[in-house]
Amino acid sequence: MYKRLRLGKLFRDHVFVILGWLIWIALQLSGHKFGDGDSLGTLAAGSALTFCIMLGCVFSVVRSADELAELLDEPYGTLVLTLSATAIEVSLMLMVMAGGGQNPAMLRDTIFATLMVVLNGMVGVSLVSGGWINVEQSFNLRGALSFLHLIAPLSLLLLVLPNYTSSTDGPTLDPVQEAFLGLLCLLMYGVFLLIQTGRHRSYFANLSAVLDEEPEDNGNGNAAPALHRRRGAILHGAMNLLAALLPVVLLAEHLGSVIDFAIERSHTPAALGGLVVAALVLLPEGVGAQRAAALNLMQRAVNICLGSALATIGLTVPTIVVAASLQGHALTLGLDGAQETLLYATLLVSVMTFVSGSANVLQGLVHLMLFVAYLFFVFVP
């Protein structure tokens, strides 16, 4: 009876992961890929099913990352979640590029969508939710500004500077400039990780957190078994995370072909592809940030939100730049005037919000206002 209950709980917790693996195996065995040969109904149903299954797997990734976060001290817990989401984002974009490469603005649109979704959508919902329940919340000012110190200049270098370079025509960069910016993003993100997990780790810890000391062995032999159990739990959580992450990455090929096909054949705005990728990747993280803010863990919410934006710039950009160079794809990077204005407004409001060191409902509503404006201008450019 106990074994049946355990199997039932295991299936409930990992039903989307199991379905994800089964769907991927079925697609591989059949050799089917969504595209020109499918009717509109088949394409819509197949893509919707794939998207929902992938979304369920992403939520399983978040659940496994949350379990690891309870075993690991900050900022390692949120860092695991951030890197997992970045792996999903990179795999989706690579599959879209491999499917035809007819959308040279995919990298730009995804980065811009990620910044809008994170800095306005996720931050706004978290601030409103946390402020509504807890009135006002505090977070580590130095930690939040550490994120913004990199997000602001790197996003401007990637999304605005290409409009004003003279080496190429249009909002593009030549290969040397792309390589320079990709290497710069990777280098600065690596330096940030060393600071976040080393010298200034306290900047990213909850203000009310108390650092736990290693268990001392008082002679009764309890410390070693406790440490062994903790390591076993971490290993088990990491295996669950990998099992949930892999079907998302593998199914990205099929969803990527749908996104690429829709961009080529439909009359929908090109920026919608970047928004779809960002939404799939960031929705579970947004739920995690909102939940943390509601529980008065505002620093964890800040780490999730700003860490997601910075990881997209620091890891996704170098990977896609290298892949585009190897495949001979040109990248359109510069934003147009309306998008530039939204980016400037977002960075300005973000600095004003996080420099205060406290959060309330009004600040969240301002961020949500900018997010709604972004969505409106995606469909009504």
Side-chain angles (χ1 to χ4, degrees):
M1 181 66 179
Y2 178 69
K3 289 183 178 180
R4 287 199 299 270
L5 290 175
R6 287 189 62 186
L7 289 175
K9 183 178 183 301
L10 181 65
F11 180 79
R12 288 195 304 271
D13 290 345
H14 302 286
V15 59
F16 284 104
V17 177
I18 296 171
L19 290 175
W21 280 107
L22 291 176
I23 289 177
W24 178 77
I25 291 173
L27 289 172
Q28 291 299 111
L29 292 177
S30 65
H32 179 75
K33 289 187 178 181
F34 299 112
D36 292 324
D38 296 313
S39 64
L40 183 61
T42 301
L43 188 65
S47 60
L49 177 62
T50 304
F51 183 86
C52 292
I53 294 298
M54 290 177 67
L55 189 61
C57 291
V58 172
F59 274 103
S60 296
V61 171
V62 174
R63 183 168 57 249
S64 299
D66 284 339
E67 293 175 358
L68 284 175
E70 295 178 1
L71 299 171
L72 301 171
D73 297 326
E74 285 293 343
Y76 295 108
T78 54
L79 188 59
V80 168
L81 177 59
T82 298
L83 295 179
S84 300
T86 304
I88 297 171
E89 182 178 54
V90 169
S91 63
L92 270 172
M93 294 181 64
L94 288 176
M95 293 308 170
V96 170
M97 291 175 59
Q102 299 300 319
N103 186 11
M106 174 59 73
L107 177 62
R108 178 199 66 186
D109 293 340
T110 302
I111 295 174
F112 182 61
T114 298
L115 292 175
M116 294 298 104
V117 171
V118 169
L119 297 181
N120 291 324
M122 287 170 55
V123 169
V125 170
S126 299
L127 295 184
V128 169
S129 175
W132 187 264
I133 297 174
N134 304 292
V135 183
E136 188 173 70
Q137 296 175 288
S138 298
F139 51 86
N140 195 319
L141 173 63
R142 292 175 294 182
L145 290 183
S146 296
F147 284 111
L148 289 176
H149 279 160
L150 283 182
I151 292 174
L154 290 179
S155 61
L156 293 176
L157 287 174
L158 288 166
L159 301 177
V160 177
L161 182 65
N163 288 329
Y164 303 101
T165 56
S166 58
S167 299
T168 58
D169 296 328
T172 60
L173 298 174
D174 67 23
V176 175
Q177 292 170 330
E178 289 181 355
F180 169 75
L181 284 182
L183 182 61
L184 182 65
C185 291
L186 186 61
L187 177 63
M188 293 307 299
Y189 188 68
V191 172
F192 178 83
L193 288 183
L194 292 177
I195 292 174
Q196 185 184 26
T197 58
R199 175 171 294 186
H200 297 297
R201 180 177 164 186
S202 60
Y203 288 4
F204 308 93
N206 293 314
L207 294 179
S208 59
V210 178
L211 294 178
D212 296 327
E213 297 182 356
E214 290 294 329
E216 297 180 358
D217 192 349
N218 55 11
N220 57 13
N222 290 330
L227 182 60
H228 181 71
R229 287 194 299 270
R230 185 169 183 269
R231 289 176 177 174
I234 292 175
L235 180 61
H236 181 263
M239 294 298 294
N240 286 337
L241 178 68
L242 186 62
L245 183 61
L246 280 177
V248 181
V249 174
L250 295 172
L251 288 173
E253 177 183 2
H254 302 279
L255 185 63
S257 63
V258 173
I259 294 174
D260 189 65
F261 178 78
I263 290 171
E264 290 184 38
R265 299 301 177 88
S266 70
H267 298 289
T268 56
L272 191 60
L275 180 58
V276 170
V277 173
L280 175 63
V281 174
L282 296 172
L283 178 60
E285 288 187 285
V287 173
Q290 183 275 329
R291 186 185 305 157
L295 294 174
N296 204 22
L297 299 174
M298 194 60 198
Q299 185 60 48
R300 175 169 169 78
V302 170
N303 290 347
I304 292 175
C305 293
L306 300 186
S308 299
L310 184 56
T312 294
I313 297 174
L315 295 177
T316 303
V317 170
T319 304
I320 301 304
V321 165
V322 171
S325 177
L326 293 176
Q327 297 179 20
H329 292 168
L331 295 176
T332 301
L333 295 173
L335 299 173
D336 61 29
Q339 293 173 327
E340 271 192 46
T341 303
L342 284 171
L343 179 61
Y344 291 143
T346 296
L347 294 176
L348 176 61
V349 170
S350 297
V351 171
M352 294 173 65
T353 295
F354 291 108
V355 78
S356 65
S358 60
N360 56 52
V361 171
L362 177 60
Q363 295 167 325
L365 290 176
V366 174
H367 284 274
L368 289 179
M369 174 194 71
L370 289 173
F371 181 63
V372 172
Y374 159 71
L375 292 178
F376 177 80
F377 285 106
V378 165
F379 294 97
V380 188

